[in-house]
Amino acid sequence: MDLRIFTEPQQGASYDTLLTVAKATEDLGFDAFFRSDHYLKMGDADGLPGPTDAWITLAGLARETRRIRLGTLMTAATFRLPGVLAIQVAQVDQMSGGRVELGLGAGWFAEEHAAYGIPFPKEKFSRLEEQLEIVTGLWATEPGETFDFHGKHYDLTKSPALPKPAQSRIPVLIGGHGATRTPRLAARHADEFNMPFGSLEDSQTQFGRVRAAAQEAGRAADAITFSSALVVCVGKDDQEVARRAAAIGREVEELKANGLAGTPAEVVDKIGRYAEVGSRRMYLQILDLDDLDHLELISAQVQSQLS
């Protein structure tokens, strides 16, 4: 089970804070540093000092880290034109020496679009489908050849399909709870399927749908890596768990029911149950980015048991 650190900077984080967490992620032996791609806070957080752009952040981290994978859960297809996104991600992949992964979703948070003047179309899923075709098609086009795409939402003619990423194929992540279209889309494009904040039962069901769709599409059963994303709140004892839960405005019992919360032993046990239903990678949603002791505890007493 790979453990990856997953941050939500729209809730309030500067680039320097994210850099500190990313360096700790690398130093403590975690597999990857991922971040959300949002421009507006959610809930009661003040959101200060304001949003940071996901791909500008990852470009900076690409030069400041050496080992960890870097990516998004998830970049919104509404935020960028697909040709521009393909250039951005390929460039960050070059800057990192081939350590980038692209999580791409349809986009859902209407308020952030209104706040920053970003169009929020009704037909979001079909745009996502075309974006995946274009981004992966541009990367796959051989040097010296051109790429054309003529869809409902996007039209590309004689694109030189440059630049190329450092990796021969940048891993593409698709996720979500949708019962029909999402599994079919993952079957066509995903190297990894992520189930965000899902119960054990829902995760098992959704993983099964994606496997079935992949087999129907002619892909091998193990062609897609299955992963989960859950909020994490670990403490050496009940008192420390309660303190960390209070710091992020959550209740311990709710976190234990819907996330990974408790002592290291409790969290290891629950991660093991997600492994039993097919998850091979866990994104640990860290909501208090100033609590580096939390990362150290997870590394020393959770990650060590899983590896």
Side-chain angles (χ1 to χ4, degrees), residues 2 9 77:
D2 294 332

Side-chain angles (χ1 to χ4, degrees), residues 106-124:
W108 61 271
F109 190 20
E111 288 85 351
E112 70 185 332
H113 293 73
Y116 286 96
I118 304 168
F120 191 62
K122 290 184 178 180
E123 296 180 326
K124 291 181 287 295

